[in-house]
């Protein structure tokens, strides 16, 4: 490992010591501290659909959600996930009883139904390759014009009209005038902005105790929790957050949201393994959780689907699976034997371990089984060893743009689905995948448990590992070389100095954020290409956030000026710009700008043409020389430059460092300005906990694996 000296008074042309020959040795704990700017959290772009791959994806998601809702409607058995409520929880239960119709027992609100048979659904036309996506139907022009007038009357930017019309749907103008706080349904709108909008429209009628405000803030807080990865919030935490935003009666606000059907409430036992109380008067300790309906249904559907896969499979392996297990070799053999007798198997390991699920896939094909693999990104598909064509992305499989098509019941025509990059699965994506599998199919979830969790809500892979409801196969294949040694140490909390004779790892100390930007541009444009032969377009820059003096915005601006200068005549973009395209929240596809016309911005993403409508460009497209670690997750590049400015200290954690450093295949440069904060983060800063219900739901439906 090499440490490059700061530039000082040296000429700019002398940056060759960065990756070529260095004069000092050191480790990642060295480097001057710097503090400037403001670290900003990573955010996701909304889905951009028209004439793009996202339209097909969203259509498939709607179909799957309709099937999920039909299954939920058919279920009637009471849940065993809770008992009686008391105190504030009893108030919530009373609110639900008040809005229920007929003689439906209130206890069913807190219970999980029995699995229902898969409903028949028309099978979409099988698609075995990319196909043009149909244009998404956006809000009517008249609706947008009506919403624009309301926004103008309330002093809000009229440019929000398309987003508001999309979020609120038909009748958006009337709804917004009757309830101005509905503006909070638009991504990026803050409560103080919605309050100002409401005051302008309602005048003296507007007050902090308005039930419309309390209901909207409850839903907004639950959405913000989902952005942070939670599928639900504990009632005390939600009430405290409402109180901080001047809601006078937080419990009443939550009850109102429940009564309107905008949220669901659950009571889960604190100790699921504890026996039921023998005395009817004895109360079982519970925690009360509140969740938005979409995430609650997705989590329950995921648990139901996983239980179906586990319980619908005979433990005795059939002849084709025995043949597949016999055909596999090396690390894939153990995995194949587990899959032969189980419907769900977890596989853990680093980059080199991807060869094992690839070997399983080849063995399954050789045995005549219908097998397919999906990854988080197109680059992940490229890296799947074995040269198989039976691989695509999760989004393409769900959209019908890749994979084997569907059977007469609407299920994927598969015997085996292998999901790599499994830690990147959020609860909704995982639910749709599992719901799409037929009874008797095998599902393998494979990934590196040390990387960042999904950008969307849930921690599906981690929850499954903790629940221990199925076999877990840990790869014994380590990632090779100095980079593999460095990343492996980070995974166990140790930031070690490694020998890097080929300049595989280089440390570039910097004093402040300005110097960090300067040295990063130097590395990407000059040093790495000249010393290692890796061109600038094959080097990724990773930094903790979008904002700040050395965030993605600042770095992309500097890199564009050096690598592809231009006036940004297409909404800030020029042909040849590297971009990060987000067709849906949590998904980032690297690409390049081709051109622009009346249809929108034309991109090339993973070799496929994409057109982003001009009104969606600002939300869906960013410059992409520099990414956040969440945006880079699932991809790898020949060279990576990880920028750690002084203002990034609070954003660092062991999973973040592990993910950022492991994006490099051949070379890693660390622009180091956080001093001892880096080893401290690796040693002490673990993932922030996420509140989810999946472990409990699994324990009530699937027996623990032996």
């Amino acid at each position: 490992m090499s440490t490059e000296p700061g530039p000082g008074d040296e000429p700019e042309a002398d940056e060759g010591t960065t990756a070529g020959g260095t004069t000092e040795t050191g480790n990642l704990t060295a480097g001057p501290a710097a503090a400037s700017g403001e670290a900003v959290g990573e955010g996701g772009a909304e889905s951009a659909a028209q004439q793009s791959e996202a339209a097909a994806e969203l259509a498939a998601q709607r179909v799957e959600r309709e099937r999920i809702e039909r299954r939920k409607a058919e279920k009637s058995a009471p849940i065993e996930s809770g008992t009686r409520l008391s105190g504030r929880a009893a108030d919530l239960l009373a609110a639900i009883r008040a809005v229920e119709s007929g003689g439906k027992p209130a206890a069913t609100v807190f219970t999980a139904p029995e699995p229902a048979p898969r409903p028949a659904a028309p099978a979409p036309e099988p698609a075995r390759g990319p196909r043009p996506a149909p244009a998404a139907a956006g809000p009517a022009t008249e609706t947008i014009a009506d919403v624009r007038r309301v926004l103008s009357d309330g002093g809000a930017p009229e440019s929000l009209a398309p987003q508001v019309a999309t979020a609120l749907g038909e009748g958006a103008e009337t709804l917004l005038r009757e309830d101005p706080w509905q503006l909070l349904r638009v991504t990026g709108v803050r409560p103080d902005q919605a309050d100002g909008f409401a005051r302008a429209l309602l005048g003296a009628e507007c007050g902090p105790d308005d039930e419309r405000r309390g209901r909207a803030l409850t839903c907004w807080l639950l959405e913000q929790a989902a952005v942070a990865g939670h599928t639900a919030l504990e009632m005390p935490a939600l009430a405290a957050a409402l109180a901080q935003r001047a809601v006078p009666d937080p419990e009443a606000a939550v009850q109102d949201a429940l009564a309107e059907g905008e949220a669901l409430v659950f009571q889960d036992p604190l100790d699921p393994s504890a026996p039921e109380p023998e005395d009817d008067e004895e109360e079982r300790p519970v925690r009360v959780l509140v969740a938005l309906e979409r995430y609650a249904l997705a989590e329950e559907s995921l648990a139901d689907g996983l239980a179906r896969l586990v319980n619908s499979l005979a433990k005795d392996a059939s002849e084709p699976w025995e043949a597949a297990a016999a055909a596999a070799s090396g690390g894939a053999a153990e995995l194949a034997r587990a899959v032969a007798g189980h419907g769900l198997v977890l596989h853990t390991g680093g980059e080199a371990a991807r060869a094992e699920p690839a070997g399983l896939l080849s063995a399954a094909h050789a045995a005549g089984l219908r097998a397919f693999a999906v990854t988080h990104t197109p680059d992940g598909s490229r890296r799947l060893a074995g040269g198989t064509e039976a691989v695509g992305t999760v989004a393409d499989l769900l959209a019908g743009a890749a994979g084997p098509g569907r059977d007469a019941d609407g299920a994927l025509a598969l015997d085996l689905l292998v999901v790599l990059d499994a830690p990147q699965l959020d609860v909704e994506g995982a639910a749709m995948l599992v719901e799409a599998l037929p009874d008797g199919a095998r599902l393998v979830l494979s990934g590196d448990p040390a990387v960042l969790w999904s950008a969307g809500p849930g921690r599906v892979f981690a929850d499954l590992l903790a629940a221990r409801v199925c076999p877990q196969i840990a790869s014994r294949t380590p990632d090779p070389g100095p980079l593999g040694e460095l990343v492996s140490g980070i995974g166990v909390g140790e930031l070690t100095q490694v020998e890097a004779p080929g300049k595989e790892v280089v440390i570039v100390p910097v004093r402040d954020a300005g110097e960090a930007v300067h040295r990063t541009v130097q590395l990407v444009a000059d040093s790495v290409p000249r010393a290692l032969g890796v061109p600038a377009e094959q080097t990724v820059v990773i930094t903790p956030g979008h904002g700040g003096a050395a965030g993605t915005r600042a770095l992309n601006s500097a890199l564009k000026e050096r690598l592809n200068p231009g006036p940004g005549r297409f909404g800030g973009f020029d042909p040849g710009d590297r971009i990060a395209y987000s067709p849906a929240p949590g998904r980032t596809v690297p690409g390049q700008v081709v051109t622009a016309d009346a249809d929108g911005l034309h991109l090339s993403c993973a070799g496929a043409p994409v057109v982003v409508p001009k009104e969606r460009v600002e939300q869906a497209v960013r410059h992409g020389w520099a990414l956040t670690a969440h945006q880079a997750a699932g991809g790898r590049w020949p060279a990576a430059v990880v920028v750690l400015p002084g203002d990034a200290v609070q954003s660092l954690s062991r999973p973040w460092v592990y993910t950022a450093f492991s994006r490099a295949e051949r070379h890693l440069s660390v622009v180091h300005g956080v001093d001892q904060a880096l080893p401290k983060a690796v040693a002490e800063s673990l993932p922030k906990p996420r509140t989810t219900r999946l472990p409990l739901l699994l324990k009530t439906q699937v027996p623990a694996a032996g």
Side-chain angles (χ1 to χ4, degrees):
M1 184 187 306
S2 300
T3 304
E4 181 177 337
D9 296 327
E10 65 184 1
E12 184 171 330
D14 194 33
E15 77 282 4
T17 55
T18 301
T22 60
T23 58
E24 299 181 33
T25 59
N27 56 50
L28 287 167
T29 65
S36 61
E38 178 184 1
V40 175
E42 301 175 64
E46 296 181 27
S47 58
Q50 191 172 350
Q51 296 184 7
S52 74
E53 64 183 50
E57 177 190 353
L58 293 175
Q61 290 179 357
R62 283 194 296 271
V63 171
E64 292 300 326
R65 287 199 178 98
E66 289 171 1
R67 293 177 60 234
I68 291 172
E69 290 171 2
R70 285 200 300 271
R71 291 189 67 197
K72 296 301 174 186
E74 293 172 0
K75 299 175 180 179
S76 59
I79 302 185
E80 299 181 356
S81 64
T83 56
R84 292 170 304 155
L85 293 172
S86 61
R88 292 179 178 176
D91 294 337
L92 297 177
L93 180 55
I96 296 173
R97 285 173 174 162
V99 297
E100 287 180 335
S101 59
K104 179 180 177 182
T108 59
V109 175
F110 300 101
T111 54
E114 295 289 336
R118 176 183 299 278
E125 178 186 355
R128 304 185 182 277
R131 59 185 181 186
T141 304
E142 296 81 2
T143 301
I144 294 176
D146 291 341
V147 170
R148 186 173 285 113
R149 284 193 293 272
V150 183
L151 293 173
S152 177
D153 292 345
E158 295 183 23
S159 59
L160 289 177
Q163 293 171 260
V164 174
T166 300
L168 301 184
E170 188 176 354
E173 176 202 11
T174 302
L175 181 59
L176 203 56
R177 286 195 183 278
E178 293 176 350
D179 184 356
W181 286 282
Q182 290 292 316
L183 192 65
L184 283 172
R185 293 187 181 272
V186 176
T187 301
V189 175
R190 303 190 308 270
D192 61 305
Q193 295 169 328
D195 285 341
F197 179 68
R199 282 193 297 271
L201 287 182
L202 301 178
E205 298 179 18
C206 177
D209 59 345
D210 193 304
E211 65 178 16
R212 294 169 293 184
R213 179 176 185 268
R215 184 169 61 245
L217 281 173
T218 298
C219 296
W220 181 81
L221 285 168
L222 291 173
E223 283 287 4
Q224 296 308 299
V227 171
H230 307 282
T231 58
L233 279 182
E234 293 195 26
M235 179 59 193
L238 179 57
L242 286 166
Q244 288 176 353
R245 285 159 180 82
V247 175
D249 191 345
E251 285 77 20
V254 176
Q255 291 175 12
D256 195 26
L258 296 173
E260 292 294 326
E262 296 180 344
L264 300 176
V265 63
F266 303 91
Q267 57 166 349
D268 292 340
L270 292 177
D271 183 3
S273 61
E276 291 283 348
E278 296 181 2
D279 187 350
D280 290 341
E281 299 299 322
E282 183 180 352
E283 293 185 355
R284 191 181 189 185
V286 299
R287 66 172 183 169
V288 180
L289 298 173
V290 184
L292 290 174
E293 183 184 37
R294 61 181 289 192
Y295 303 125
L297 290 180
E299 206 155 28
E300 290 187 356
S301 178
L302 174 58
D304 290 349
L306 291 171
R308 174 175 58 84
L309 291 179
V310 171
N311 298 327
S312 67
L313 180 67
K315 299 304 178 185
D316 296 331
S318 60
E319 183 176 343
W321 289 106
E322 291 175 347
S329 60
E334 183 182 6
L335 183 58
R337 287 192 294 270
V339 172
H342 298 84
L344 175 65
V345 176
L346 306 182
H347 173 262
T348 59
E351 182 67 19
R354 295 169 76 91
E356 295 168 12
L360 168 65
L361 199 64
S362 297
H365 286 153
L369 294 164
R370 302 169 301 172
F372 196 77
V374 290
T375 62
H376 183 59
T377 64
D379 180 64
S381 301
R382 172 189 64 82
R383 301 194 325 270
L384 184 62
T388 177
E389 294 183 358
V391 59
T393 66
V394 172
D396 285 343
L397 178 66
L398 292 174
R406 308 258 178 163
D407 61 22
D409 292 330
L412 292 168
L414 284 175
D415 300 306
L416 168 66
L417 177 64
V418 179
V419 181
L420 291 97
D421 308 318
Q424 305 308 312
L425 276 179
D426 64 20
V427 68
E428 290 187 299
M432 286 187 285
L433 274 180
V434 172
E435 278 285 324
L437 288 173
D439 292 348
R442 271 73 163 173
L443 174 64
V444 175
L445 299 179
S446 175
D448 190 337
V451 301
L452 287 167
W453 294 334
S454 63
R459 31 164 270 166
V460 175
F461 194 56
D463 279 347
L464 284 170
L465 288 171
R468 306 196 68 82
V469 295
C470 65
Q472 300 182 14
I473 308 299
S475 174
R476 292 181 289 273
T477 305
D479 289 341
L483 281 168
E485 181 183 350
L486 174 65
V487 171
S488 296
I490 293 171
V492 296
E494 298 178 359
L495 189 64
T496 58
Q497 182 177 354
V498 298
E499 296 296 329
K503 307 303 178 188
E504 293 88 349
V505 182
V506 169
I507 314 305
V508 185
V510 294
R511 292 181 292 269
D512 54 40
E515 186 182 357
V517 172
H518 170 74
R519 296 310 300 255
T520 299
V521 173
Q522 211 174 48
L523 284 163
V524 173
D526 296 323
S527 303
V528 173
R530 175 157 45 84
L532 298 174
V534 178
E537 59 268 21
Q538 294 181 15
T539 299
V540 66
V541 175
I542 301 175
T543 192
H546 293 301
T552 62
R553 296 187 187 98
L555 286 166
N556 276 317
S557 177
L559 287 162
K560 173 176 171 55
E561 183 179 353
R562 178 67 179 271
L563 297 172
N564 194 47
R569 60 185 180 275
F570 301 143
F573 299 94
D574 294 297
D577 279 356
R578 280 176 65 176
I579 54 88
Y581 168 53
S582 296
R587 285 187 57 212
T588 298
V589 183
Q592 191 174 45
V593 175
V594 178
T595 187
D597 55 26
D599 294 330
L601 191 65
H602 292 250
L603 311 175
S604 175
C605 297
V610 174
V611 181
V612 182
K614 58 183 180 181
E615 65 271 15
R616 305 301 301 158
V617 169
E618 184 177 356
Q619 290 79 30
V621 185
R622 292 177 179 268
H623 284 105
W625 289 278
L627 306 173
T628 63
H630 263 120
Q631 289 179 315
R636 300 240 307 171
W637 289 261
V641 178
V642 176
V643 184
L644 304 176
D647 60 3
V649 170
Q650 298 301 318
S651 301
L652 298 182
S653 66
R654 184 188 301 174
W656 191 95
V657 177
Y658 185 97
T659 304
F661 283 20
S662 60
R663 298 311 92 197
E665 293 178 336
R666 292 171 48 195
H667 172 79
L668 169 67
S669 283
V670 181
V671 179
H672 192 348
V674 292
D675 200 23
Q676 296 301 310
L678 180 58
K680 183 177 180 180
V682 169
E684 302 175 6
S685 184
L686 300 177
K688 293 182 179 179
R690 293 184 174 186
T691 302
T692 66
R693 300 186 66 241
L694 184 59
L696 173 66
L697 294 171
L698 288 170
K699 286 180 180 179
T700 60
Q701 299 186 59
V702 183

